[in-house]
Each structure stands twice: as structure tokens, then as C-alpha cells.
Amino acid sequence: MASSNYIDIFMYLDEGFRIKLEEHVKAHPFPKITLDINEQQINRFPRLNPKESEEVSDNIEDIIIFTKVASAKLTEPLPSFMNLKEECKNNAALEQSCLEISELFINKSKSIITALIGHSIKIESLKQQGNSKELEQAEASKVEYRNHYECLANIAHYGSPYFSKRGVEFSKLADSIEREFGEVAYWESLAKSNYDYYVGDKNINNPENCNEKIVD
């Protein structure tokens, strides 16, 4: 693993999944009761304004398809790296290999969870070395990485519920970006789309601010 060029875990769906689902629904439309129940559930969100409620009604079929795609992503199994973390933590002989693996996970992976595992492995390896300066930098880098994607996620979820007409449109754009560039790029796309949607609203953060380091 230490000599690998990249690591990938498939937390994203093939584009064909959505396409086949859309084709199936076109040939076999949802029953009216399904459309009505989903519309009622979405309209329970207090942040939905009258214009958005009307958009939900006009696009409920697309929104249901979107929620099914999102649900399918969430059911993808998470890989366990516990054995790897424990081996790097307890086996000093693998220290250099573990550091190389950590850099691979941090810099050459597409998923947030893999990058966070990489940061954790690097921190544990540096603890064994007793290098306080590099350890402090590694811990700060992990915090900055977590703050970055959490900042983007907060912007992406600003305003009306994510399961909306604009959520459908933004997701279709972001899904293709995630497949090519990874999960952080996915959240960058969603945040930028939502920020542009709420242009002029002073309560939404600019995604560019998510790149700023937090100074204590």
C-alpha cells in the first residue's frame, strides 16, 4: 500500500444508476399517492417559502428520484481501516511505511473519510517519533481539513431543504464532479451553486472563506 499511487473507495454512484432510474420512472410513473405523500413531507419544513413549495409541487417526481439516488449513496458500505490504524499505532517497524500511507490517503484519495484516516495515521506515527513540531503541524492540518469540508457543507445546506428543485439541479452537476475529482470537490460544487443562488444574502458564507485558516 505504501508504494501505491492513489487510493479510491467508491462512495459515489455510477452515472448510469440515475439514468436507469429516470428511464424506469418515465416508463412506470410513481402512483399519485406516492407523489402526494412525498410532497407533504417536504412541505413540513418551515424554511420552505410559497414559491419553493410551488416548485416542489411542479417537480416532485424529479425530487423523489433525487432522494432515491441520495439514499443509495448513503447505503454504500464504509470500509474499515481499524486494523491499519492499530498496526501503524503499535508497530514501530512500519513507521516509515505508515507515514507514506498517510500521505497517500491525505493527498491521493477522493473521499473525506480516507483523508481523515490518513491524518490520524500520520499523527500516530509522529507521536512514536516524538517530533513535537511536526506532530503539532499534523494535528493542525487535520483540524483545517475538517473545518474546510464542514464549512462547505454548511453553505450547501443553507436556506431551504436540500431536497428541493434546486437540490436536484445542483446535485446533478456535483455528482459528475465527485466521480472525477472526489468528495471535497463535490461539496465545493454544491456550496458554490447554493451561494450563487442566494447572491446578495449577507447571512450565507462565501465558499472562498472556507479556505481561510482559523487563527487562535
Side-chain angles (χ1 to χ4, degrees):
M1 185 180 288
S3 61
S4 300
N5 294 320
Y6 73 95
I7 179 170
D8 196 4
I9 57 176
F10 296 94
M11 303 285 294
Y12 44 90
L13 299 174
D14 187 278
E15 186 179 10
F17 180 87
R18 185 198 293 269
I19 294 173
K20 288 296 183 182
L21 185 56
E22 289 173 342
E23 290 175 351
H24 177 80
V25 172
K26 186 176 181 179
H28 308 279
F30 293 114
K32 186 177 185 303
I33 188 171
T34 300
L35 300 176
D36 291 343
I37 290 174
N38 278 270
E39 184 177 345
Q40 290 171 13
Q41 290 176 336
I42 294 171
N43 279 315
R44 287 176 185 161
F45 287 92
R47 291 176 293 176
L48 219 61
N49 61 46
K51 178 184 176 183
E52 289 168 333
S53 293
E54 185 177 343
E55 288 181 344
V56 168
S57 180
D58 293 339
N59 299 273
I60 188 62
E61 192 171 80
D62 286 339
I63 292 173
I64 294 174
I65 292 173
F66 164 63
T67 59
K68 288 185 177 297
V69 172
S71 297
K73 284 181 65 176
L74 293 175
T75 60
E76 289 295 308
L78 291 173
S80 174
F81 294 100
M82 187 58 67
N83 289 342
L84 175 62
K85 288 177 64 177
E86 288 301 309
E87 190 70 17
C88 286
K89 181 178 180 180
N90 299 313
N91 192 337
L94 296 176
E95 183 180 295
Q96 185 56 40
S97 292
C98 287
L99 282 172
E100 291 173 4
I101 290 171
S102 73
E103 294 296 335
L104 173 72
F105 276 35
I106 293 169
N107 300 307
K108 299 293 184 179
S109 65
K110 288 185 177 181
S111 73
I112 289 172
I113 186 172
T114 315
L116 287 174
I117 293 293
H119 282 290
S120 295
I121 292 174
K122 185 173 185 176
I123 288 169
E124 290 299 331
S125 297
L126 291 174
K127 282 181 179 178
Q128 293 181 28
Q129 289 184 352
N131 190 324
S132 58
K133 184 176 181 180
E134 286 193 21
L135 175 60
E136 184 179 343
Q137 292 174 342
E139 290 174 335
S141 293
K142 183 178 181 179
V143 172
E144 287 174 10
Y145 181 81
R146 185 174 62 244
N147 289 341
H148 178 70
Y149 75 76
E150 287 180 349
C151 175
L152 294 171
N154 288 335
I155 297 170
H157 289 107
Y158 177 84
S160 60
Y162 184 57
F163 297 128
S164 63
K165 177 178 180 289
R166 65 189 177 88
V168 173
E169 296 170 349
F170 297 168
S171 175
K172 285 184 177 180
L173 172 64
D175 281 351
S176 60
I177 292 174
E178 180 180 21
R179 283 190 289 273
E180 184 171 357
F181 299 106
E183 200 173 357
V184 170
Y186 168 84
W187 286 110
E188 287 173 345
S189 174
L190 289 178
K192 179 65 166 58
S193 295
N194 205 33
Y195 178 76
D196 290 344
Y197 178 86
Y198 283 102
V199 62
D201 187 335
K202 296 182 180 179
N203 293 316
I204 186 171
N205 190 17
N206 188 329
E208 293 182 1
N209 295 336
C210 293
N211 297 319
E212 296 178 357
K213 294 183 179 181
I214 297 177
V215 180
D216 295 331

